[in-house]
Amino acid sequence: ISEFATHRKDSASAAAYERTTAEAFEALTTFAKPLVAMIHGVCIGGGLAIAASADLRIAADDARFALPAARLGLGYHVNGVERLVRLLGPSTASELFFTARRYDAAEALRIGLVNQVVAKAELERFTAGYVAAIAANAPLTLRAAKRAIAEIQRDPARRDLATVQRLIAACFESTDYAEGVRAFLEKRPPKFRGA
């Protein structure tokens, strides 16, 4: 915020700033693998925008969230608004934007801003286990599911369902699918290779 006087001093510089940040957020949201944000302490403004770009968010019980745009007088970029509306729904996103108030971790969990809340002392251990459990799953299935989730959030006319269908078909043609079924029948953990 201390740099806004130089980086967002008028609508032209604000537009350039938004283009740059939009590229960064797009890189996060389109990352092929599941992206998990681990949050502790203050998660306000840009930090919240980064966290909202992740697929899943795990917060420590000391986390605090806010979007202070209404208190700063700035216009929030439409892509960021859209991301939060999709995540929270229009009514809750409206409250977040209109009130600019702080939410504690329990409220963030209640409104769907985060997926899990854990004690601060357990945050890293819990998140590492959570991520390890995801990573142990079939990579092709994760990629297909992530893409399907992204596509169903798009306008129906802009959805790339053909790519989703190819990704789903690749799962059924993979050695991972055969391994998953075999491991289930043999009552053992599967060993996926992403092929």
Side-chain angles (χ1 to χ4, degrees):
I1 294 174
S2 64
E3 295 178 354
F4 281 5
T6 56
H7 290 72
R8 283 177 142 176
K9 63 183 175 192
D10 54 32
S11 63
S13 61
Y17 180 91
E18 295 303 335
R19 280 191 299 276
T20 301
T21 57
E23 287 178 20
F25 296 136
E26 181 73 9
L28 294 173
T29 60
T30 59
F31 190 66
K33 296 180 180 179
L35 185 61
V36 179
M38 183 174 69
I39 305 158
H40 63 88
V42 176
C43 186
I44 294 179
L48 180 53
I50 291 169
S53 296
D55 298 301
L56 302 165
R57 286 154 300 285
I58 309 209
D61 55 7
D62 74 333
R64 300 293 177 265
F65 304 85
L67 278 178
R71 291 195 176 144
L72 296 169
L74 63 86
Y76 206 82
H77 193 268
V78 70
N79 290 341
V81 173
E82 180 181 28
R83 190 174 306 107
L84 286 163
V85 168
R86 285 183 177 157
L87 181 62
L88 305 172
S91 180
T92 302
S94 294
E95 181 184 54
L96 191 69
F97 281 105
F98 298 168
T99 66
R101 75 179 182 86
R102 288 191 182 204
Y103 291 75
D104 64 22
E107 288 177 294
L109 180 64
R110 181 184 54 77
I111 66 173
L113 187 56
V114 299
N115 300 90
Q116 302 280 332
V117 173
V118 299
K120 183 177 180 178
E122 296 297 314
L123 180 64
E124 288 189 33
R125 183 195 60 75
F126 179 88
T127 304
Y130 190 85
V131 170
I134 292 170
N137 289 325
L140 298 177
T141 301
L142 296 176
R143 183 172 53 182
K146 180 166 178 164
R147 185 63 182 263
I149 291 165
E151 292 300 327
I152 63 169
Q153 293 181 75
R154 293 179 187 267
D155 181 279
R158 296 181 53 225
R159 291 179 183 165
D160 183 0
L161 298 181
T163 296
V164 174
Q165 290 303 323
R166 280 194 301 276
L167 292 170
I168 292 169
C171 292
F172 287 105
E173 299 298 324
S174 72
T175 57
D176 278 356
Y177 175 59
E179 166 63 9
V181 171
R182 192 169 40 254
F184 178 82
L185 294 173
E186 294 172 3
K187 297 180 179 5
R188 64 171 173 80
K191 294 179 183 161
F192 296 120
R193 297 191 172 140

